[in-house]
Amino acid sequence: SDAIETVVLQPDGKILVGGLFTTINGVTRNRVARLNSDGSVDTTFNPNVNSTVRALELQADGKVLIGGDFSLVNGVGRVRLARLNADGTLDPSFNPSANNIVWSIAKQPDGKIIVGGSFSQINGVSRPNLVRLNLDGSTDTTFTPSPSSEVYSVAVQTDGKITFGGFFTSVNGVGRNRVARVYPDGSLETDFDSDLGAGSGVFTML
């Protein structure tokens, strides 16, 4: 399939797209591309990722976080998470690894990175389905919400709280039907009504 799975609009009007595709508008682009505002392919940007990109997030400095199923970016080993420089080249200073699919990425105002997925470990550290990374890609060991199953979507609110959705039915052993919210320290917000839960998986939120 040539599906596009994720899209991010840059402040300059250019559009980042990620997915399963190997061409876009007739131009070879492996799973990540940047389009100009008129929809034409930005020929200066060519990261070349070897498998599906399922999540994109733009940092304030113009760098691009990507997540998915891949193991190589521009021929360099990157296991399901990577960061690109603004020109599409690989940022060598960022090299976290997930042991299963990354589905969603969101940035905090302080630059830390929230990652949701189907993984049980990040950087060899147990982190079921949700993790916070420091700016350098290391695991933030203070953040341990532990949803019981996959997290497909993550959103950081303006007050710093983190809302996420997926297929989980509990967070830290407390019942939460596929939607939950935690405080910035990772503790569960108990007055976020657990009856709000969805009857099936939650795949996207803003």
Short mmCIF file of all heavy atoms in Angstrom, two decimals, residues 142-185:
data_model
loop_
_atom_site.label_atom_id
_atom_site.label_comp_id
_atom_site.label_asym_id
_atom_site.label_seq_id
_atom_site.Cartn_x
_atom_site.Cartn_y
_atom_site.Cartn_z
N THR A 142 11.26 9.33 35.62
CA THR A 142 10.26 9.79 36.58
C THR A 142 8.83 9.60 36.08
O THR A 142 7.88 9.79 36.83
CB THR A 142 10.45 11.29 36.89
OG1 THR A 142 10.12 12.07 35.71
CG2 THR A 142 11.88 11.59 37.29
N PHE A 143 8.66 9.22 34.83
CA PHE A 143 7.34 9.18 34.17
C PHE A 143 6.95 7.73 33.90
O PHE A 143 7.55 7.08 33.04
CB PHE A 143 7.42 10.00 32.89
CG PHE A 143 6.12 10.17 32.14
CD1 PHE A 143 5.25 11.20 32.47
CD2 PHE A 143 5.79 9.31 31.10
CE1 PHE A 143 4.07 11.37 31.76
CE2 PHE A 143 4.60 9.48 30.39
CZ PHE A 143 3.75 10.51 30.73
N THR A 144 5.96 7.19 34.64
CA THR A 144 5.65 5.76 34.54
C THR A 144 4.14 5.47 34.58
O THR A 144 3.67 4.73 35.46
CB THR A 144 6.34 4.98 35.68
OG1 THR A 144 5.89 5.52 36.94
CG2 THR A 144 7.85 5.09 35.60
N PRO A 145 3.35 5.99 33.66
CA PRO A 145 1.90 5.74 33.71
C PRO A 145 1.47 4.29 33.48
O PRO A 145 0.49 3.84 34.04
CB PRO A 145 1.34 6.65 32.61
CG PRO A 145 2.39 7.69 32.41
CD PRO A 145 3.68 6.99 32.65
N SER A 146 2.13 3.54 32.60
CA SER A 146 1.86 2.11 32.37
C SER A 146 0.42 1.78 31.95
O SER A 146 -0.29 1.08 32.68
CB SER A 146 2.23 1.30 33.61
OG SER A 146 3.59 1.45 33.91
N PRO A 147 -0.03 2.25 30.77
CA PRO A 147 -1.30 1.76 30.24
C PRO A 147 -1.23 0.26 29.96
O PRO A 147 -0.17 -0.27 29.64
CB PRO A 147 -1.46 2.55 28.93
CG PRO A 147 -0.49 3.67 29.02
CD PRO A 147 0.62 3.21 29.90
N SER A 148 -2.37 -0.43 30.07
CA SER A 148 -2.40 -1.88 29.97
C SER A 148 -2.29 -2.41 28.55
O SER A 148 -2.06 -3.61 28.36
CB SER A 148 -3.68 -2.42 30.60
OG SER A 148 -4.83 -1.92 29.91
N SER A 149 -2.46 -1.56 27.55
CA SER A 149 -2.36 -2.00 26.15
C SER A 149 -1.97 -0.81 25.28
O SER A 149 -1.62 0.25 25.80
CB SER A 149 -3.69 -2.62 25.70
OG SER A 149 -3.54 -3.28 24.46
N GLU A 150 -2.04 -0.99 23.97
CA GLU A 150 -1.50 -0.02 23.02
C GLU A 150 -2.03 1.40 23.22
O GLU A 150 -3.21 1.60 23.53
CB GLU A 150 -1.82 -0.42 21.57
CG GLU A 150 -1.21 -1.71 21.12
CD GLU A 150 -2.11 -2.90 21.32
OE1 GLU A 150 -3.05 -2.82 22.14
OE2 GLU A 150 -1.86 -3.94 20.68
N VAL A 151 -1.13 2.36 23.00
CA VAL A 151 -1.49 3.79 22.95
C VAL A 151 -1.29 4.26 21.52
O VAL A 151 -0.18 4.19 20.98
CB VAL A 151 -0.63 4.61 23.92
CG1 VAL A 151 -0.86 6.11 23.70
CG2 VAL A 151 -0.95 4.23 25.36
N TYR A 152 -2.37 4.71 20.89
CA TYR A 152 -2.32 5.11 19.49
C TYR A 152 -2.24 6.62 19.29
O TYR A 152 -1.86 7.08 18.22
CB TYR A 152 -3.54 4.58 18.73
CG TYR A 152 -3.44 3.12 18.38
CD1 TYR A 152 -4.08 2.15 19.14
CD2 TYR A 152 -2.68 2.70 17.30
CE1 TYR A 152 -3.98 0.80 18.83
CE2 TYR A 152 -2.57 1.35 16.98
CZ TYR A 152 -3.22 0.42 17.74
OH TYR A 152 -3.11 -0.91 17.43
N SER A 153 -2.62 7.38 20.30
CA SER A 153 -2.63 8.83 20.15
C SER A 153 -2.28 9.51 21.46
O SER A 153 -2.70 9.05 22.53
CB SER A 153 -4.00 9.29 19.68
OG SER A 153 -4.00 10.67 19.41
N VAL A 154 -1.49 10.59 21.37
CA VAL A 154 -1.06 11.34 22.54
C VAL A 154 -1.21 12.83 22.24
O VAL A 154 -0.90 13.28 21.13
CB VAL A 154 0.42 11.03 22.87
CG1 VAL A 154 0.88 11.86 24.06
CG2 VAL A 154 0.63 9.56 23.15
N ALA A 155 -1.69 13.59 23.21
CA ALA A 155 -1.77 15.04 23.07
C ALA A 155 -1.34 15.70 24.37
O ALA A 155 -1.76 15.27 25.46
CB ALA A 155 -3.20 15.47 22.72
N VAL A 156 -0.51 16.73 24.27
CA VAL A 156 -0.07 17.50 25.44
C VAL A 156 -0.90 18.78 25.51
O VAL A 156 -0.92 19.57 24.58
CB VAL A 156 1.43 17.82 25.36
CG1 VAL A 156 1.86 18.65 26.57
CG2 VAL A 156 2.26 16.54 25.29
N GLN A 157 -1.59 18.97 26.63
CA GLN A 157 -2.42 20.16 26.80
C GLN A 157 -1.57 21.38 27.18
O GLN A 157 -0.43 21.24 27.60
CB GLN A 157 -3.46 19.89 27.89
CG GLN A 157 -4.39 18.74 27.57
CD GLN A 157 -5.43 18.49 28.65
OE1 GLN A 157 -6.26 17.62 28.51
NE2 GLN A 157 -5.39 19.25 29.74
N THR A 158 -2.17 22.55 27.07
CA THR A 158 -1.44 23.78 27.39
C THR A 158 -1.08 23.86 28.87
O THR A 158 -0.12 24.54 29.25
CB THR A 158 -2.27 25.02 27.01
OG1 THR A 158 -3.56 24.93 27.63
CG2 THR A 158 -2.45 25.09 25.50
N ASP A 159 -1.82 23.15 29.73
CA ASP A 159 -1.50 23.14 31.17
C ASP A 159 -0.50 22.05 31.53
O ASP A 159 -0.20 21.84 32.71
CB ASP A 159 -2.78 22.98 32.01
CG ASP A 159 -3.52 21.68 31.73
OD1 ASP A 159 -3.03 20.86 30.91
OD2 ASP A 159 -4.60 21.48 32.33
N GLY A 160 0.01 21.34 30.52
CA GLY A 160 1.02 20.31 30.75
C GLY A 160 0.47 18.92 30.96
O GLY A 160 1.24 17.94 30.95
N LYS A 161 -0.83 18.80 31.17
CA LYS A 161 -1.42 17.47 31.31
C LYS A 161 -1.33 16.72 29.97
O LYS A 161 -1.31 17.34 28.90
CB LYS A 161 -2.87 17.55 31.77
CG LYS A 161 -3.02 18.08 33.19
CD LYS A 161 -4.49 18.20 33.56
CE LYS A 161 -4.67 18.79 34.95
NZ LYS A 161 -6.11 18.96 35.30
N ILE A 162 -1.31 15.40 30.05
CA ILE A 162 -1.13 14.57 28.87
C ILE A 162 -2.34 13.65 28.74
O ILE A 162 -2.64 12.85 29.64
CB ILE A 162 0.16 13.73 28.99
CG1 ILE A 162 1.38 14.67 29.08
CG2 ILE A 162 0.31 12.77 27.81
CD1 ILE A 162 2.51 14.13 29.90
N THR A 163 -3.04 13.77 27.62
CA THR A 163 -4.18 12.92 27.33
C THR A 163 -3.77 11.90 26.27
O THR A 163 -3.05 12.25 25.33
CB THR A 163 -5.36 13.76 26.81
OG1 THR A 163 -5.64 14.80 27.76
CG2 THR A 163 -6.61 12.92 26.64
N PHE A 164 -4.23 10.67 26.43
CA PHE A 164 -3.85 9.64 25.46
C PHE A 164 -5.00 8.66 25.26
O PHE A 164 -5.86 8.49 26.13
CB PHE A 164 -2.57 8.93 25.88
CG PHE A 164 -2.54 8.38 27.27
CD1 PHE A 164 -2.86 7.06 27.53
CD2 PHE A 164 -2.19 9.20 28.34
CE1 PHE A 164 -2.82 6.55 28.81
CE2 PHE A 164 -2.14 8.70 29.63
CZ PHE A 164 -2.47 7.38 29.88
N GLY A 165 -5.00 8.04 24.08
CA GLY A 165 -6.05 7.09 23.74
C GLY A 165 -5.47 5.88 23.05
O GLY A 165 -4.37 5.92 22.49
N GLY A 166 -6.22 4.78 23.08
CA GLY A 166 -5.76 3.55 22.44
C GLY A 166 -6.68 2.40 22.73
O GLY A 166 -7.90 2.55 22.69
N PHE A 167 -6.10 1.24 23.09
CA PHE A 167 -6.88 0.05 23.37
C PHE A 167 -6.79 -0.40 24.83
O PHE A 167 -7.33 -1.44 25.19
CB PHE A 167 -6.43 -1.10 22.45
CG PHE A 167 -7.14 -1.13 21.14
CD1 PHE A 167 -6.64 -0.44 20.06
CD2 PHE A 167 -8.31 -1.84 20.98
CE1 PHE A 167 -7.29 -0.45 18.83
CE2 PHE A 167 -8.98 -1.87 19.76
CZ PHE A 167 -8.47 -1.17 18.68
N PHE A 168 -6.15 0.37 25.68
CA PHE A 168 -5.97 0.00 27.08
C PHE A 168 -7.30 0.06 27.84
O PHE A 168 -8.23 0.77 27.46
CB PHE A 168 -4.93 0.90 27.75
CG PHE A 168 -5.22 2.37 27.60
CD1 PHE A 168 -6.04 3.03 28.50
CD2 PHE A 168 -4.68 3.09 26.54
CE1 PHE A 168 -6.31 4.38 28.36
CE2 PHE A 168 -4.95 4.45 26.39
CZ PHE A 168 -5.76 5.08 27.30
N THR A 169 -7.37 -0.69 28.93
CA THR A 169 -8.53 -0.66 29.81
C THR A 169 -8.16 -0.27 31.24
O THR A 169 -9.03 -0.16 32.10
CB THR A 169 -9.25 -2.02 29.83
OG1 THR A 169 -8.31 -3.03 30.18
CG2 THR A 169 -9.86 -2.32 28.46
N SER A 170 -6.86 -0.06 31.47
CA SER A 170 -6.43 0.44 32.77
C SER A 170 -5.11 1.20 32.62
O SER A 170 -4.37 0.99 31.66
CB SER A 170 -6.27 -0.69 33.79
OG SER A 170 -5.19 -1.54 33.44
N VAL A 171 -4.83 2.07 33.59
CA VAL A 171 -3.57 2.80 33.66
C VAL A 171 -3.09 2.70 35.10
O VAL A 171 -3.80 3.09 36.03
CB VAL A 171 -3.73 4.28 33.25
CG1 VAL A 171 -2.42 5.03 33.41
CG2 VAL A 171 -4.24 4.38 31.81
N ASN A 172 -1.91 2.14 35.28
CA ASN A 172 -1.39 1.87 36.64
C ASN A 172 -2.39 1.07 37.48
O ASN A 172 -2.55 1.32 38.68
CB ASN A 172 -1.03 3.19 37.34
CG ASN A 172 0.35 3.68 36.94
OD1 ASN A 172 1.19 2.91 36.48
ND2 ASN A 172 0.59 4.97 37.11
N GLY A 173 -3.10 0.15 36.81
CA GLY A 173 -4.04 -0.72 37.52
C GLY A 173 -5.40 -0.12 37.79
O GLY A 173 -6.28 -0.79 38.33
N VAL A 174 -5.61 1.14 37.40
CA VAL A 174 -6.89 1.82 37.61
C VAL A 174 -7.67 1.79 36.30
O VAL A 174 -7.13 2.10 35.24
CB VAL A 174 -6.69 3.27 38.07
CG1 VAL A 174 -8.02 3.97 38.27
CG2 VAL A 174 -5.85 3.31 39.35
N GLY A 175 -8.94 1.42 36.35
CA GLY A 175 -9.74 1.29 35.14
C GLY A 175 -9.85 2.58 34.35
O GLY A 175 -10.24 3.62 34.88
N ARG A 176 -9.46 2.52 33.08
CA ARG A 176 -9.60 3.63 32.15
C ARG A 176 -9.85 3.03 30.77
O ARG A 176 -8.97 2.39 30.21
CB ARG A 176 -8.33 4.51 32.11
CG ARG A 176 -8.15 5.42 33.31
CD ARG A 176 -9.23 6.47 33.41
NE ARG A 176 -9.04 7.39 34.51
CZ ARG A 176 -9.46 7.21 35.75
NH1 ARG A 176 -10.08 6.09 36.06
NH2 ARG A 176 -9.28 8.12 36.68
N ASN A 177 -11.05 3.26 30.26
CA ASN A 177 -11.46 2.63 29.00
C ASN A 177 -11.01 3.41 27.78
O ASN A 177 -11.75 4.21 27.23
CB ASN A 177 -12.97 2.42 28.98
CG ASN A 177 -13.41 1.33 29.93
OD1 ASN A 177 -12.74 0.30 30.04
ND2 ASN A 177 -14.50 1.55 30.64
N ARG A 178 -9.75 3.18 27.40
CA ARG A 178 -9.20 3.61 26.11
C ARG A 178 -8.92 5.11 26.01
O ARG A 178 -8.38 5.58 25.01
CB ARG A 178 -10.09 3.13 24.97
CG ARG A 178 -10.25 1.60 25.01
CD ARG A 178 -11.29 1.07 24.03
NE ARG A 178 -11.42 -0.37 24.19
CZ ARG A 178 -12.29 -0.98 24.99
NH1 ARG A 178 -13.12 -0.27 25.73
NH2 ARG A 178 -12.35 -2.30 25.05
N VAL A 179 -9.28 5.87 27.04
CA VAL A 179 -8.94 7.30 27.12
C VAL A 179 -8.52 7.61 28.55
O VAL A 179 -9.18 7.16 29.50
CB VAL A 179 -10.13 8.21 26.73
CG1 VAL A 179 -9.73 9.67 26.84
CG2 VAL A 179 -10.63 7.90 25.34
N ALA A 180 -7.42 8.34 28.72
CA ALA A 180 -6.98 8.70 30.07
C ALA A 180 -6.21 10.01 30.02
O ALA A 180 -5.77 10.45 28.96
CB ALA A 180 -6.12 7.60 30.67
N ARG A 181 -6.03 10.59 31.19
CA ARG A 181 -5.23 11.81 31.29
C ARG A 181 -4.36 11.71 32.53
O ARG A 181 -4.81 11.27 33.59
CB ARG A 181 -6.12 13.05 31.36
CG ARG A 181 -5.33 14.35 31.30
CD ARG A 181 -6.22 15.53 30.94
NE ARG A 181 -7.23 15.79 31.93
CZ ARG A 181 -8.35 16.52 31.69
NH1 ARG A 181 -8.56 17.01 30.48
NH2 ARG A 181 -9.23 16.73 32.65
N VAL A 182 -3.10 12.13 32.37
CA VAL A 182 -2.16 12.13 33.49
C VAL A 182 -1.61 13.54 33.68
O VAL A 182 -1.60 14.36 32.76
CB VAL A 182 -1.00 11.13 33.29
CG1 VAL A 182 -1.52 9.70 33.26
CG2 VAL A 182 -0.19 11.43 32.04
N TYR A 183 -1.15 13.79 34.91
CA TYR A 183 -0.47 15.04 35.22
C TYR A 183 0.94 15.02 34.62
O TYR A 183 1.43 13.96 34.21
CB TYR A 183 -0.41 15.24 36.73
CG TYR A 183 -1.75 15.46 37.37
CD1 TYR A 183 -2.39 14.42 38.07
CD2 TYR A 183 -2.39 16.68 37.28
CE1 TYR A 183 -3.63 14.62 38.65
CE2 TYR A 183 -3.64 16.89 37.86
CZ TYR A 183 -4.25 15.86 38.54
OH TYR A 183 -5.48 16.06 39.12
N PRO A 184 1.61 16.15 34.56
CA PRO A 184 2.97 16.18 33.99
C PRO A 184 3.95 15.21 34.64
O PRO A 184 4.91 14.79 34.00
CB PRO A 184 3.40 17.64 34.18
CG PRO A 184 2.12 18.41 34.16
CD PRO A 184 1.13 17.53 34.86
N ASP A 185 3.71 14.85 35.91
CA ASP A 185 4.61 13.90 36.57
C ASP A 185 4.26 12.44 36.26
O ASP A 185 4.92 11.52 36.74
CB ASP A 185 4.62 14.12 38.09
CG ASP A 185 3.27 13.81 38.75
OD1 ASP A 185 2.31 13.43 38.05
OD2 ASP A 185 3.19 13.95 39.99
#
